[in-house]
Amino acid sequence: MATEEQVAIALGAVTPWRDLQLAIKGFSGETGESYAKVIVRNGDDSQLVRIELGQTAEVGDGVSLRLDEVPPPSRPEDGPAPTGRGRVLVTVRAADEGGAR
């Protein structure tokens, strides 16, 4: 049975999810070009995954990530950053309860 959970990954921080550690390496919130580079660490193994907005990437052991939201581009004329700018939202899907070992 698959499980899904939306996870907010704070920029500049490591976010745990089960046995995984998730972090953002970089992102773009430009219209039509939104993506995030996510570092996925499981024990001593780590990988860098680039995910387009709305797309899904397999990260192993029956776990996949779907990119749901990235911060909008920062422009000086926009003024102060809106609440929530410092995070990327992904949906983590595991093939079963033991999917992330």
Side-chain angles (χ1 to χ4, degrees):
M1 178 177 168
T3 58
E4 286 189 0
E5 182 178 344
Q6 192 170 55
V7 178
I9 305 172
L11 302 179
V14 175
T15 302
W17 186 83
R18 295 188 186 179
D19 292 342
L20 300 178
Q21 301 289 318
L22 307 171
I24 301 301
K25 174 75 173 171
F27 71 93
S28 171
E30 293 291 335
T31 304
E33 299 178 18
S34 296
Y35 70 89
K37 292 180 183 176
V38 182
I39 299 170
V40 181
R41 184 169 293 134
N42 185 358
D44 291 335
D45 297 329
S46 66
Q47 62 180 306
L48 179 63
V49 181
R50 187 181 193 277
I51 312 169
E52 302 287 331
L53 186 63
Q55 299 298 309
T56 301
E58 296 293 325
V59 294
D61 289 333
V63 177
S64 62
L65 303 176
R66 182 183 69 229
L67 183 59
D68 296 327
E69 180 181 305
V70 293
S74 178
R75 295 185 176 98
E77 63 270 16
D78 292 341
T83 303
R85 178 179 289 263
R87 66 185 178 138
V88 170
L89 290 179
V90 297
T91 296
V92 183
R93 181 179 172 96
D96 58 33
E97 289 298 318
R101 289 179 217 131

